């Protein structure tokens, strides 16, 4: 399948906050209550549509355990977007956000779009972190914020798609250098790299234009 | 220096490096001086000069430079990093010192030098971080040697260095960036570095995939002209394979990222190649390209991953390209063999692809299905063996879980089909192979034919109806009877193994076939003759085992319809005529056989010689399944009234008959029994594995200890040699003290080595009784031990000589002193009064010595000269 853009995402956050489940819900539309511990990094992909354009999301789901931290750092640099996930029923996962954010800012490119996600919103009775707290943290650090539930699929699509929208807007504004693949953005095979903002380039509609 | 020469002249001995002691001494001195200069000089130019000189010496005096200079070089790399010239020299120096291969004129005893020096560097992760930072340096003189140096380190100590690089910040990314270097040499060496970096490390492989590794490699391969490119293409493909092999995550990424489509050009060969012949590099490049497809579709991958890859491979046209290559002219036979095996794995277990393959028609005259063309190659003894093995593999893959094409083959053998008159069918070809006079043809066709009925009850039944008229005037003979006849008339063991395997596959799970087999009055007596015969070699033993297996299958699937050979009477017969022991022994011959173990492990036949053609992989799987069940049935006659075993049915997954006479409790108890025996087997195996593991780890630890001991001794020897050279010149007293020190060290080492030896011997005897698998280990240990003993002996000898020399020197000095005294010269007793005094004294002694030695050969003349 051809695409106009390919965006690379990473999912980060403490162990057990539901990173792999968010990915599974997004790519396979299913929920797995018992999930194996992620070892290193796992991979998933899905196509979405923004502004009439096909966009391929390549998502790298990282292990939250401290032991893998040095490995997962290698994935920051090449990502265009990051989902920073905490668990609303576990205060400590919220408290660790600063560390995660510092780590991400230090190793990623400065334009990386970070989406803060409070997961497990279905477990309202066990909530330890108020939604407002998440909102405040996001505002203070210039992040987008959302509460999701990988179990009920609430807001999961939106979380991934809104991040993509943000990246897409940044491209339109010319903030991202799309010719540098280290930014985590690739132009689809049928799309000329010289005219990224031309609205005519629907999927497959520009035959013969240069290939990158 | 005359004295020195005089003393040493007769003793010139070669050291481990193959250089003379003297040579080494001057080398060691120089290295020591240079290292000192590198560390202590205040002027950068001096340090740079020292580094340049060290680099120049690092090939010839690798041990000395490594042992004495390593720390200094690493330190100055850090402190003088702004001076690119010095950095370049230092890097090249380390590059020589850590070379994983022996440099010219080096003795093989130094083969682990590179590894030892790598260990020293890798001990401090900061060293590698520093080297990584030099990779960012654009200067050619720095970037190239640092790439090569890290490659050396990775080759010498892959695991340690990989782990360090993996956790160094942006380490892998920095290495990946090297691929975009516009200088081809740098890029090519970066590929080699990545090949070493990605070997067996899934985490690194994933990061490289994330860093657009596949795109980069594909781009390089494309730029270099695909398979027509040089060794760079091969290296790139090697990296490609490293990223994919047994890394399901990367395979998924490869598939999801539509990369399979991007490798289609790999397999589009221009027609013009046919007459030109293929250069070796192209054969090798293409081989690696085929390996990519085989890695993606390997039977050992999780089946859903293989299946989805197979589908993509078909959709994007790779399967079609591969079939074209199989049918093309002018392809070298090794490439062809690999391509055929690749087609096999691309279709195995994927019905859609199998159907496609079955429908491909070769552009021959008359046009024939590609399957028929391949079969013609299979039963042609003039074709290379490797090619025939690949064809068999491909055919097995084609019939694997493919009932439709299995049926097609058998149908072509049945009389009902009317239109077979003038077309050659797969079935006819295979039967032709069975009747052929060539043994390899018999073997290949019987194995291929067995795959047309494998796990397919309907076709097993249909095959019973196949008849031939062998001679014009005689009546038709069933295939079963024909095979029995050939077995009895044949003398060739290989053919017997083939036909017995075929029979056991046919009879397995098919009571009607068993009935037909037992219905032939010669069958059981013939099997008994085979089983009770005295074997003279391994192959005869295998025939005995196979005959026992057929017997066991007949017992197992006995329909009790042939009155002479009901289950009960067969057990009686076995007890009376063969004996339980003999039968289980004969079966054991197979499971013990190397050929069996090999075939069980590898789905693709790897026969080097046609006489290796004995077992088929799938037969081995079946054998493994039934061996214990047969023995169990024989040993437990109480349960022998049970008709066809439901437990075996369960495991064979044939979904065949369920016995009516059995109560459910019977079935359950059978299941339980089976599960219990399996549990027991698992338990004992676990125990065995555990004990093997522990003894293995003990042996490993000992080996490690001994190796480190040897290393220490080696290093000490080197150091001793180097220091001896310098200290000897400065003061005898010092050297004496040193020697005494060394002596005690050596004695201690000697003692330690002796203890090691004792422990080793004890361990050996312990291991010997345990398991034959450990014999290999023991022999390794023995070798190690031998090397150690030799080492000690050599050191003893060195030591003795040294002592002798020293004693000699001592006595001589005494004599000289006396002489001097007698001549009236004032002799200072204290040697340590100062350098000047020493020099004077030495000069005097030299004069005297030359007087002494001018008389002729030294030691003999010494007495009367005094």
């Amino acid at each position: 399948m051809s695409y106009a853009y390919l965006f690379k995402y990473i999912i980060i956050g403490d162990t057990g906050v539901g990173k792999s489940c968010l990915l599974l819900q997004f790519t396979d539309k299913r929920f797995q209550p018992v999930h194996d511990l992620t070892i290193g990094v796992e991979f998933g992909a899905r196509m979405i549509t923004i502004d009439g354009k096909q966009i391929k999301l390549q998502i790298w789901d990282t292990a939250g355990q401290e032991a893998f931290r040095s490995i997962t750092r290698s994935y920051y640099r090449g990502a265009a977007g990051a989902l920073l996930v905490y668990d609303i029923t576990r205060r400590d996962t919220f408290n660790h956000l600063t560390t995660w954010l510092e780590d991400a800012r230090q190793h990623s490119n400065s334009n990386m779009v970070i989406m803060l996600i409070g997961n497990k919103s279905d477990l309202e009775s066990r909530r330890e972190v108020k939604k407002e707290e998440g909102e405040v943290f996001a505002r203070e650090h210039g992040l987008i914020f959302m509460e999701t539930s990988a179990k009920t699929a609430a807001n999961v699509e939106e979380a991934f798609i809104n991040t993509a929208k943000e990246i897409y807007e940044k491209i339109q504004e010319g903030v991202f250098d799309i010719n540098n693949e280290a930014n985590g953005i690739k132009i689809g095979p049928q799309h000329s790299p010289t005219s990224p903002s031309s609205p005519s380039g629907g999927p497959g509609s520009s035959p013969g234009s240069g290939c990158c | 220096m005359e004295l020195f020469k005089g003393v040493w002249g007769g003793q010139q001995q070669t050291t481990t490096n193959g250089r003379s002691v003297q040579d080494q001494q001057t080398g060691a001195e120089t290295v020591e001086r240079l290292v000192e200069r590198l560390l202590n000089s205040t002027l950068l130019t001096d340090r740079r000069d020292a580094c340049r000189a060290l680099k120049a010496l690092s090939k010839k005096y690798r041990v000395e430079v490594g042992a004495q200079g390593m720390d200094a070089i690493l330190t100055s790399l850090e402190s003088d990093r702004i001076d690119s010239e010095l950095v370049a020299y230092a890097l090249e120096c380390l590059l020589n010192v850590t070379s994983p291969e022996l440099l010219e004129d080096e003795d093989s005893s130094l083969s682990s030098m590179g590894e030892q020096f790598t260990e020293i560097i890798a001990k401090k992760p900061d060293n590698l971080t520093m080297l990584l930072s030099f990779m960012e340096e654009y200067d050619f003189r720095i970037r190239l040697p640092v790439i090569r140096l890290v490659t050396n380190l990775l080759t010498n100590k892959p695991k340690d260095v990989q782990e360090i690089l993996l956790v160094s910040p942006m380490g892998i990314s920095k290495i990946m960036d090297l691929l975009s270097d516009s200088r081809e040499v740098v890029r090519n060496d970066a590929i080699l570095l990545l090949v070493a970096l990605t070997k067996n490390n899934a985490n690194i492989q994933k990061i490289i995939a994330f860093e657009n590794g596949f795109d980069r490699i594909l781009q390089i391969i494309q730029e270099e002209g695909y398979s027509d490119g040089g060794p760079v293409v091969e290296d790139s493909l090697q990296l490609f394979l490293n990223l994919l092999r047994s890394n399901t995550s990367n395979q998924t990424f490869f598939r999801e990222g539509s990369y399979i489509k991007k490798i289609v050009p790999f397999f589009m060969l221009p027609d013009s190649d046919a007459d030109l012949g293929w250069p070796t590099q192209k054969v090798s490049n293409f081989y690696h390209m085929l390996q990519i497809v085989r890695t993606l579709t390997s039977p050992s991958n999780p089946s859903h991953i293989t299946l989805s890859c197979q589908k993509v491979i078909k959709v994007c046209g790779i399967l079609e390209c591969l079939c074209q290559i199989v049918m093309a002219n002018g392809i070298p036979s090794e490439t062809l063999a690999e391509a055929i095996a690749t087609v096999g794995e691309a279709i195995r277990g994927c019905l859609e692809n199998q159907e496609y393959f079955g429908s491909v028609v070769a552009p021959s005259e008359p046009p024939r299905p590609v399957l028929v063309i391949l079969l013609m190659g299979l039963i042609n003894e003039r074709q290379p063996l490797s090619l025939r093995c690949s064809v068999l593999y491909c055919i097995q893959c084609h019939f694997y879980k493919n009932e439709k094409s299995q049926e097609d083959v058998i149908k072509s053998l049945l009389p009902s089909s009317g239109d077979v008159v003038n077309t050659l069918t797969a079935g006819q070809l295979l039967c032709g192979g069975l009747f052929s006079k060539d043994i390899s043809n018999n073997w290949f066709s019987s194995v291929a034919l067995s795959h047309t009925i494998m796990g397919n009850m309907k076709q097993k039944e249909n095959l019973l109806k196949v008849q031939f008229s062998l001679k014009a005037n005689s009546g038709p003979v069933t295939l079963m009877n024909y095979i029995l006849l050939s077995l009895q008339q044949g003398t060739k063991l290989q053919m017997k193994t083939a036909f017995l395997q075929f029979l056991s596959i046919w009879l397995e799970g098919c009571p009607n076939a068993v009935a037909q087999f037992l219905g032939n009055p010669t069958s059981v007596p013939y099997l008994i003759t085979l089983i009770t015969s005295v074997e003279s070699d391994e192959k005869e033993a295998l025939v005995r085992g196979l005959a026992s297996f057929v017997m066991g299958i007949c017992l197992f699937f006995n329909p009790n319809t042939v009155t002479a050979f009901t289950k009960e009477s067969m057990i009686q017969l076995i007890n009376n005529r063969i004996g339980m022991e003999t039968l289980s022994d004969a079966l054991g011959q197979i499971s013990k056989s190397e050929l069996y173990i090999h075939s069980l492990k590898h789905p693709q036949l790897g026969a080097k010689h046609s006489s290796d053609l004995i077992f088929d992989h799938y037969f081995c799987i079946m054998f493994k399944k039934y061996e214990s069940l047969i023995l169990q049935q024989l040993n437990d006659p109480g349960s022998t009234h049970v008709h066809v075993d439901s437990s075996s049915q369960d495991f064979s997954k044939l979904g065949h008959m369920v016995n009516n006479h059995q109560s459910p409790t019977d079935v359950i108890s059978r299941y339980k029994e089976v599960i219990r025996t399996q549990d027991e087997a698992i338990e004992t195996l676990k125990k065995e594995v555990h004990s093997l593991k522990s003894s293995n780890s003990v042996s490993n630890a000992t080996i490690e200890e001994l190796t480190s001991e040897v290393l220490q001794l080696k290093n000490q020897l080197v150091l001793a040699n180097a220091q001896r050279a310098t200290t000897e010149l400065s003061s005898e007293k010092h050297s004496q003290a040193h020697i005494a020190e060394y002596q005690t060290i050596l004695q201690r080492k000697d003692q330690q080595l002796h203890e090691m030896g004792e422990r080793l011997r004890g361990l050996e005897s312990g291991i010997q009784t345990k398991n034959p698998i450990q014999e290999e280990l023991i022999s390794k240990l023995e070798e190690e031990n031998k090397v150690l003993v030799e080492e000690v002996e050599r050191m003893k000898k060195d030591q003795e000589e040294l002592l002798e020399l020293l004693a000699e020197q001592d006595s001589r000095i005494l004599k000289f002193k006396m002489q001097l005294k007698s001549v009236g010269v004032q002799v200072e007793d204290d040697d340590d009064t100062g350098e000047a005094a020493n020099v004077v004294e030495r000069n005097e002694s030299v004069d005297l010595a030359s007087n002494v030695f001018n008389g002729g050969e030294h030691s003999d003349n010494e007495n009367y000269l005094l």
Side-chain angles (χ1 to χ4, degrees):
Chain A
M1 262 220 273
S2 75
Y3 51 82
Y5 293 107
L6 181 150
F7 296 162
K8 283 191 196 178
Y9 279 15
I10 48 169
I11 312 181
I12 51 176
D14 275 9
T15 184
V17 296
K19 297 182 292 297
S20 301
C21 291
L22 279 170
L23 177 61
L24 192 70
Q25 181 60 259
F26 180 64
T27 56
D28 288 25
K29 297 203 182 348
R30 63 194 170 94
F31 177 71
Q32 213 172 12
V34 185
H35 194 278
D36 294 338
L37 207 63
T38 308
I39 304 295
V41 172
E42 288 308 329
F43 167 79
R46 213 189 104 178
M47 200 77 93
I48 57 168
T49 312
I50 289 177
D51 196 15
K53 288 198 173 66
Q54 293 281 86
I55 290 178
K56 183 157 191 164
L57 297 185
Q58 217 176 59
I59 306 147
W60 305 76
D61 167 32
T62 66
Q65 280 190 312
E66 186 62 38
F68 296 104
R69 198 68 68 87
S70 53
I71 295 175
T72 51
R73 277 195 193 111
S74 299
Y75 290 84
Y76 288 120
R77 184 182 78 157
L83 305 187
L84 173 54
V85 189
Y86 68 92
D87 177 353
I88 62 153
T89 69
R90 274 166 56 209
R91 166 69 60 182
D92 55 324
T93 66
F94 181 76
N95 293 342
H96 294 152
L97 287 177
T98 330
T99 328
W100 280 109
L101 203 59
E102 271 169 18
D103 220 23
R105 289 258 154 89
Q106 190 189 339
H107 293 98
S108 67
N109 70 69
S110 53
N111 292 320
M112 181 162 85
V113 174
I114 303 175
M115 160 78 81
L116 180 66
I117 289 178
N119 192 33
K120 310 198 185 175
S121 63
D122 53 295
L123 300 175
E124 193 57 51
S125 58
R126 283 162 47 195
R127 181 189 279 277
E128 283 182 10
V129 182
K130 280 191 229 122
K131 191 174 179 186
E132 293 71 36
E133 291 177 85
E135 280 165 351
V136 169
F137 186 92
R139 207 176 314 126
E140 276 172 6
H141 293 89
L143 317 174
I144 333 168
F145 175 68
M146 235 172 203
E147 280 196 352
T148 61
S149 163
K151 191 175 180 183
T152 65
N155 269 345
V156 173
E157 291 270 324
E158 290 80 355
F160 284 89
I161 290 173
N162 289 355
T163 311
K165 276 185 185 152
E166 183 87 5
I167 297 169
Y168 185 77
E169 273 163 30
K170 280 198 175 186
I171 294 173
Q172 304 300 313
E173 291 163 10
V175 177
F176 268 118
D177 173 14
I178 45 160
N179 292 315
N180 182 359
E181 283 191 5
N183 284 335
I185 297 170
K186 253 189 346 186
I187 303 159
Q190 276 94 23
H191 297 263
S192 164
T194 51
S195 57
S197 53
S198 91
S200 64
S205 67
S206 52
S209 65
C211 178
C212 49
Chain B
M1 285 314 250
E2 280 299 312
L3 168 71
F4 192 66
K5 269 188 199 157
V7 174
W8 289 94
Q11 313 277 345
Q12 278 237 342
Q13 50 173 342
T14 48
T15 64
T16 45
N17 297 35
R19 282 178 274 127
S20 69
V21 170
Q22 218 178 334
D23 195 9
Q24 199 186 20
Q25 278 164 0
T26 47
E29 270 173 70
T30 322
V31 169
E32 195 182 286
R33 262 204 316 274
L34 289 170
V35 169
E36 193 134 317
R37 199 178 295 168
L38 180 62
L39 278 176
N40 300 330
S41 292
T42 42
L43 284 180
L44 177 62
T45 40
D46 288 344
R47 295 199 296 273
R48 191 192 297 145
D49 287 344
C51 215
R52 182 194 294 129
L54 277 175
K55 182 212 133 193
L57 288 175
S58 61
K59 267 195 178 155
K60 198 170 174 203
Y61 298 98
R62 181 173 166 191
V63 180
E64 289 81 354
V65 173
Q68 302 182 54
M70 181 75 83
D71 286 339
I73 296 168
L74 288 168
T75 315
S76 69
L77 264 180
E78 182 67 61
S79 54
D80 284 332
R81 57 182 314 150
I82 35 146
D83 187 62
S84 56
E85 208 178 329
L86 184 143
V87 170
Y89 294 138
L91 289 174
E92 277 182 50
C93 187
L94 292 179
L95 182 62
N96 287 334
V97 166
T98 58
S99 164
E101 277 142 34
L102 288 173
L103 305 172
E104 42 194 324
D105 323 319
E106 273 186 343
D107 194 271
S108 60
S109 67
L110 290 174
S111 59
S112 63
M113 267 302 142
E115 204 179 311
Q116 288 164 22
F117 290 133
T118 301
E119 218 173 294
I120 299 175
I121 297 179
K123 219 180 273 167
K124 270 176 66 191
D126 286 350
N127 287 335
L128 277 155
T129 317
M130 175 178 70
L131 292 180
L132 279 172
S133 70
F134 284 124
M135 279 186 189
E136 288 171 292
E137 223 43 76
Y138 186 73
D139 189 342
F140 185 79
R141 290 174 308 168
I142 294 177
R143 194 177 265 193
L144 196 65
V146 82
I147 291 176
R148 290 184 177 159
L149 174 58
V150 177
T151 313
N152 273 359
L153 303 182
L154 279 165
T155 315
N156 289 329
K157 282 261 163 211
K159 273 217 180 102
D160 302 352
V161 180
Q162 279 172 340
E163 284 312 314
I164 298 173
L165 293 178
L166 184 62
V167 298
S168 12
M170 290 293 122
I172 310 289
S173 313
K174 278 175 196 162
I175 295 175
M176 273 307 279
D177 288 344
L178 298 171
L179 280 184
S180 24
D181 197 306
S182 56
R183 295 161 295 191
E184 235 175 65
V185 197
V186 177
R187 185 202 65 186
N188 294 353
D189 274 7
I191 294 173
L192 289 176
L193 168 59
L194 284 164
V195 170
L197 181 68
T198 50
K199 221 166 255 170
N200 306 323
N201 189 317
N203 280 325
I204 295 183
Q205 290 162 3
K206 284 186 201 171
I207 294 178
I208 292 189
F210 175 79
E211 291 271 352
N212 303 316
F214 287 120
D215 297 283
R216 305 272 187 97
I217 306 167
L218 276 165
Q219 201 187 343
I220 293 170
I221 293 174
Q222 187 193 353
E223 280 167 10
E224 296 288 326
Y226 298 111
S227 57
D228 290 318
V232 186
V233 172
E234 187 178 333
D235 295 339
S236 307
L237 288 164
Q238 191 59 57
L239 175 56
F240 214 126
L241 284 167
N242 278 358
L243 297 183
L244 287 176
R245 223 165 241 161
S246 39
N247 188 332
T248 44
S249 179
N250 269 3
Q251 287 178 10
T252 312
F253 174 66
F254 193 76
R255 198 185 61 238
E256 292 280 338
S258 357
Y259 287 104
I260 296 182
K261 205 166 72 191
K262 293 181 186 159
I263 63 167
V264 179
F266 287 12
F267 306 103
M268 299 220 258
L269 297 178
D271 295 334
S272 56
D273 279 1
D275 19 86
L276 288 168
W278 286 33
T280 350
Q281 187 60 55
K282 179 164 182 165
V283 170
S284 180
N285 287 348
F286 198 74
Y287 173 86
H288 284 90
M289 290 174 168
L290 291 171
Q291 292 313 304
I292 292 176
V293 176
R294 293 192 67 173
T295 306
L296 293 172
T297 58
S298 162
S300 54
N301 287 346
S303 58
H304 66 279
I305 289 186
T306 297
L307 196 65
S308 43
C309 279
Q310 283 169 328
K311 282 181 180 154
V312 182
I313 282 169
K314 161 82 172 37
V315 170
C316 68
I318 292 180
L319 184 58
E320 194 184 333
C321 288
L322 290 173
C323 288
Q324 294 300 325
I325 291 165
V326 167
M327 295 180 297
N329 290 320
I331 309 281
S333 79
E334 49 190 310
T335 308
L336 190 59
E338 201 57 33
I340 290 170
T342 310
V343 168
E345 288 184 348
I347 63 173
R348 183 179 183 275
C350 174
L351 201 58
E352 198 187 326
N353 291 9
Q354 286 166 329
E355 274 169 8
Y356 170 79
F357 177 74
S359 71
V360 174
V361 175
S364 60
E365 201 43 60
R368 291 196 173 105
V370 69
L371 181 65
V372 171
I373 299 281
L374 286 181
L375 281 174
M376 285 163 78
L378 181 71
I379 47 175
N380 182 347
E381 61 274 21
R382 284 186 300 277
Q383 293 286 359
L385 188 67
S386 63
L387 191 67
R388 298 172 80 191
C389 289
S390 292
V391 169
L392 181 68
Y393 182 59
C394 181
I395 286 168
Q396 291 174 347
C397 291
H398 177 58
F399 290 128
Y400 180 77
K401 291 187 180 168
N402 184 355
E403 291 187 11
K404 175 74 177 57
S405 32
Q406 287 179 325
E407 187 185 344
D408 287 346
V409 175
I410 303 297
K411 216 194 243 168
S412 71
L413 291 171
L414 294 172
S416 56
S417 45
D419 55 337
V420 291
V421 198
N422 36 18
T423 54
L424 197 56
T425 66
Q428 287 166 341
L429 275 168
L430 287 177
C431 286
L434 285 182
F435 304 142
S436 160
K437 285 197 180 63
D438 182 86
I439 318 161
S440 66
N441 283 347
N442 298 151
W443 193 87
F444 276 116
S445 24
S446 76
V447 173
L449 195 61
S450 73
H451 282 268
T452 65
I453 54 171
M454 188 87 64
N456 188 333
M457 284 317 123
K458 203 170 140 207
Q459 299 320 319
K460 285 185 184 183
E461 303 265 353
N462 277 338
L463 198 62
L464 293 172
K465 297 179 211 147
V466 173
Q467 291 190 330
F468 303 99
S469 32
L470 295 174
K471 289 174 200 138
N473 49 359
S474 65
V477 180
T478 60
L479 179 65
M480 180 75 81
N481 285 339
Y482 169 75
I483 285 176
L484 270 168
L485 194 68
S486 313
L487 269 174
Q488 289 167 47
Q489 288 173 347
T491 50
K492 305 273 173 38
L493 289 173
Q494 216 173 341
M495 186 196 86
K496 287 187 188 173
T497 57
F499 283 5
L500 287 169
Q501 278 179 78
F502 178 68
L503 279 177
S504 52
I505 288 169
W506 194 356
L507 303 180
E508 183 248 0
C510 184
N512 286 339
V514 176
Q516 197 182 57
F517 178 78
L518 294 177
N520 183 320
T522 62
S523 60
V524 174
Y526 176 68
L527 286 182
I528 292 175
T529 327
L530 282 182
I531 298 168
T532 52
S533 68
V534 184
E535 79 245 21
S536 60
D537 67 3
E538 200 206 341
K539 293 224 168 105
E540 278 179 46
L542 295 181
V543 171
R544 261 188 72 200
L546 286 168
S548 311
F549 188 60
V550 174
M551 188 75 116
I553 292 283
C554 286
L555 185 70
F556 215 91
F557 295 99
N558 198 314
N560 288 330
T561 50
V562 182
T563 43
F565 301 111
T566 59
K567 197 164 251 193
E568 215 166 326
S569 56
M570 275 187 82
I571 285 183
Q572 245 167 29
L573 195 68
I574 290 170
N575 275 327
N576 296 340
R577 296 283 304 277
I578 304 172
M580 214 64 86
E581 285 288 298
T582 319
L583 194 84
S584 61
D585 174 61
L587 285 174
Q589 295 283 350
I590 292 188
S591 43
K592 267 186 279 175
S593 140
E594 292 264 336
L595 287 162
Y596 167 81
I597 293 166
H598 185 268
S599 299
L600 187 65
K601 263 195 229 152
H602 304 280
Q604 190 182 359
L605 211 59
K608 298 256 179 324
H609 191 263
S610 63
S611 62
D612 294 343
L613 299 172
I614 299 289
F615 290 115
D616 171 46
H617 174 68
Y618 292 92
F619 168 79
C620 294
I621 292 177
M622 188 182 96
F623 181 87
K624 200 178 163 199
K625 191 166 76 188
Y626 285 107
E627 186 194 13
S628 56
L629 293 172
I630 287 170
L631 287 176
Q632 193 190 328
Q633 176 133 63
L634 283 169
N635 289 328
D636 185 15
S639 67
T640 50
H641 291 292
V642 178
H643 192 59
V644 178
D645 257 70
S646 54
S647 60
S648 75
Q649 289 300 315
D650 172 59
F651 288 108
S652 63
K653 289 178 191 157
L654 298 173
H656 185 47
M657 42 189 288
V658 176
N659 205 292
N660 302 334
H661 328 224
Q662 272 179 295
S663 68
T665 44
D666 257 4
V667 181
I668 289 164
S669 70
R670 296 282 310 165
Y671 277 131
K672 277 184 180 163
E673 205 175 310
V674 171
I675 290 166
R676 204 181 314 121
T677 46
Q678 282 180 339
D679 263 354
E680 276 163 22
I682 289 170
E683 207 46 52
T684 46
L685 284 173
K686 265 188 190 163
K687 269 182 201 155
E688 209 169 316
V689 167
H690 189 71
S691 73
L692 282 174
K693 261 190 192 163
S694 62
S695 63
N696 189 24
S697 69
V698 170
S699 335
N700 272 346
T702 322
I703 290 171
E704 240 165 68
E705 254 174 72
L706 290 174
T707 346
S708 70
E709 203 77 32
V710 169
L711 178 66
Q712 264 178 32
L713 286 173
K714 260 190 192 164
N715 287 345
Q716 264 161 9
L717 190 66
V718 167
L719 211 66
N721 276 340
Q723 288 194 350
R724 189 181 55 192
T726 40
T727 48
E728 202 113 37
L729 284 166
S730 66
S731 147
E732 270 99 350
K733 261 190 185 172
H734 271 145
S735 67
Q736 225 167 341
H738 273 297
I739 282 161
E741 211 178 289
Y742 289 142
Q743 200 177 3
T744 52
I745 290 171
L746 276 172
Q747 264 166 1
R748 210 173 61 226
K749 295 296 158 201
D750 197 349
Q751 208 181 335
Q752 277 173 353
L753 276 176
H754 188 71
E755 274 169 27
M756 288 296 160
E758 281 298 326
R759 272 167 63 186
L760 196 63
R761 235 164 285 145
L763 203 68
E764 256 174 53
S765 61
I767 291 167
Q768 237 155 21
T769 50
K770 275 181 196 160
N771 202 308
I773 301 173
Q774 297 203 329
E775 266 167 27
E776 207 186 324
L777 245 176
I778 288 166
S779 74
K780 244 198 215 158
L781 284 171
E782 268 168 357
E783 243 171 75
E784 198 82 28
N785 195 17
K786 221 173 75 190
V787 175
L788 283 173
V789 169
E790 273 168 20
E791 192 79 26
V792 169
E793 251 156 25
R794 207 171 61 228
M795 276 191 221
K796 268 189 192 162
K797 225 176 85 188
D798 277 2
Q799 184 62 35
E800 266 165 25
E801 276 161 5
L802 222 55
L803 281 175
E804 246 172 70
L805 280 170
L806 202 66
E808 228 176 275
Q809 255 178 309
D810 258 347
S811 70
R812 212 174 299 151
I813 286 161
L814 211 62
K815 277 170 211 160
F816 290 156
K817 279 180 185 167
M818 276 160 65
Q819 255 181 309
L820 285 166
K821 268 180 194 158
S822 72
V823 179
V825 177
Q826 182 72 37
V827 181
E828 271 183 67
D829 278 330
D830 192 1
D831 282 337
D832 290 1
T833 43
E835 185 68 14
N838 255 338
V839 171
V840 172
E841 190 200 352
R842 206 179 298 143
N843 282 341
E844 279 163 4
S845 345
V846 166
D847 284 337
L848 272 168
S850 49
N851 282 339
V852 171
F853 296 130
N854 282 344
E857 283 179 42
H858 53 103
S859 57
D860 289 352
N861 297 342
E862 238 167 51
N863 277 338
Y864 71 84
L865 269 167
L866 273 173

